[in-house]
Amino acid sequence: MKSLTRNIDELTAQLQTKYYGRVCRWFDAVDSTNSLAVTWAKEGAGPGSLVVADFQRRGRGRFSRSWTADPGQNLTFSLVIDTEGTQRHLEMLPATLAVAIAETLAPITEPHRPLIKWPNDVLLAGRKICGILIESSLPSDDRLHRGYVVAGIGINVNQEKFPAEIADRATSLFQVLGRPTDRIALLSDVLQAAEVTVDRLASGETGSIVNRYEARMTGLGKIAVFRYVDRQRANEGTVLGIDQAGGLKVRTRDGVVVLRAGEVTFKETGNADSPIVEGTDASVPPSSS
Ligand code: BTN
């Protein structure tokens, strides 16, 4: 398989972006592209700066999980995001990137439709094909600390098999399409879509992003099961959609609640452990965003 990072000139030649990926650091192997991008952002890397690696020794996922991807087969990269633009809409950034990636994959994966599982997993044929990890620290009032937002993205591209522990939950383009995909072309397309969509978010166009998200959302109208961080009792309700800040709106027995962070499972998937969320259970009218 062709090395991505040894052919980074091809990426530069194909890029159609204004600034995403125009400044780039690439590596055959690193611990985590997110860790490098956070350090680089703290040192002053500008918006759109890209760290890409052909292999991560300690790829990181949400909830302190690990992200494993075979060397030379996949896309593992991190982007420094414009703090000024996105800071007012930071909660919506994971959903925004999920929309951009799902829409980029869609023409390649027909007739399979990439879907999004709240908050930001991209699924293909019912399994996870892409994960997104946002790490941020916003500027403090004393302005000594400039703040950063880093978005780490892992897309399973040409990996043929996954470790047994995740084999029933993970997939790749190769598994679904039965043929390899050009990682450089895909990365270029993802960067282009991410730039346009995140710029829209920064200019406050959350409404259209919510619509695009809900058009690809898995579980809409289904029964979601969850448990608040500080409570034992599991709760459940019908998924209504997301709000303008990317929160999951669920109609429960007690009214509409908004889940802000965490994970839900859907009842028919039959997971006995109710996943934990942070949420507000002050009822909000179902019509509110
Ligand atoms: C998740 O679904 O839990 C998020 C996974 C994010 C993985 C990507 S791969 C590139 C970047 N570097 C990391 O260490 N993690 C992210």
Side-chain angles (χ1 to χ4, degrees):
M1 191 70 55
K2 186 166 89 177
S3 159
L4 171 65
T5 45
R6 304 246 164 114
N7 293 281
I8 211 78
D9 291 351
E10 278 184 40
L11 175 68
T12 315
Q14 287 185 34
L15 268 184
Q16 310 243 331
T17 56
K18 285 188 289 212
Y19 61 106
Y20 274 32
R22 295 276 166 195
V23 180
C24 177
R25 289 183 178 174
W26 62 94
F27 302 89
D28 288 341
V30 293
D31 279 352
S32 155
T33 57
N34 255 41
S35 304
L36 289 185
V38 166
T39 307
W40 195 17
K42 285 180 182 167
E43 290 165 2
S49 300
L50 172 72
V51 179
V52 54
D54 246 343
F55 178 59
Q56 296 187 119
R57 290 179 287 260
R58 289 190 187 79
R60 297 189 281 110
R62 297 170 68 228
F63 309 114
S64 309
R65 293 177 188 144
S66 57
W67 180 264
T68 50
D70 284 355
Q73 310 291 320
N74 299 298
L75 286 176
T76 48
F77 61 97
S78 300
L79 276 164
V80 177
I81 305 286
D82 170 29
T83 23
E84 220 153 276
T86 46
Q87 150 166 354
R88 279 179 306 126
H89 306 286
L90 192 57
E91 285 174 305
M92 191 62 189
L93 180 63
T96 301
L97 287 165
V99 166
I101 293 162
E103 290 179 353
T104 304
L105 293 177
I108 306 169
T109 62
E110 270 178 17
H112 300 278
R113 216 169 159 254
L115 296 177
I116 305 170
K117 179 172 185 291
W118 184 83
N120 58 16
D121 288 346
V122 180
L123 309 183
L124 193 64
R127 293 179 183 183
K128 181 161 165 174
I129 193 160
C130 166
I132 300 168
L133 176 68
I134 308 291
E135 294 185 295
S136 65
S137 163
L138 291 176
S140 52
D141 290 340
D142 60 14
R143 300 269 156 200
L144 283 176
H145 161 54
R146 74 169 88 219
Y148 62 84
V149 178
V150 161
I153 297 170
I155 306 177
N156 299 329
V157 184
N158 292 323
Q159 187 156 333
E160 292 184 24
K161 276 176 71 181
F162 290 89
E165 322 81 82
I166 56 167
D168 61 341
R169 284 175 283 129
T171 194
S172 64
L173 284 175
F174 186 89
Q175 281 195 342
V176 174
L177 303 178
R179 57 177 155 78
T181 297
D182 180 342
R183 289 183 298 155
I184 294 177
L186 179 61
L187 177 56
S188 167
D189 289 348
V190 166
L191 291 175
Q192 163 80 6
E195 180 181 275
V196 170
T197 317
V198 173
D199 278 358
R200 291 221 168 118
L201 176 72
S203 62
E205 282 180 48
T206 46
S208 64
I209 298 171
V210 167
N211 292 342
R212 285 157 64 188
Y213 185 102
E214 289 181 343
R216 293 195 173 270
M217 189 174 174
T218 181
L220 210 53
K222 290 191 180 158
I223 306 290
V225 184
F226 58 90
R227 181 159 57 87
Y228 289 119
V229 173
D230 54 349
R231 275 172 252 177
Q232 283 305 311
R233 191 173 64 86
N235 204 346
E236 62 179 52
T238 309
V239 174
L240 301 175
I242 60 166
D243 71 2
Q244 303 276 336
L248 187 73
K249 294 187 294 182
V250 182
R251 182 183 287 116
T252 68
R253 275 191 312 256
D254 316 317
V256 176
V257 301
V258 181
L259 310 181
R260 291 277 157 225
E263 281 183 325
V264 296
T265 54
F266 298 113
K267 211 156 187 184
E268 60 266 45
T269 61
N271 186 340
D273 300 324
S274 36
I276 297 176
V277 297
E278 275 173 32
T280 43
D281 59 357
S283 294
V284 294
S287 56
S288 78
S289 64

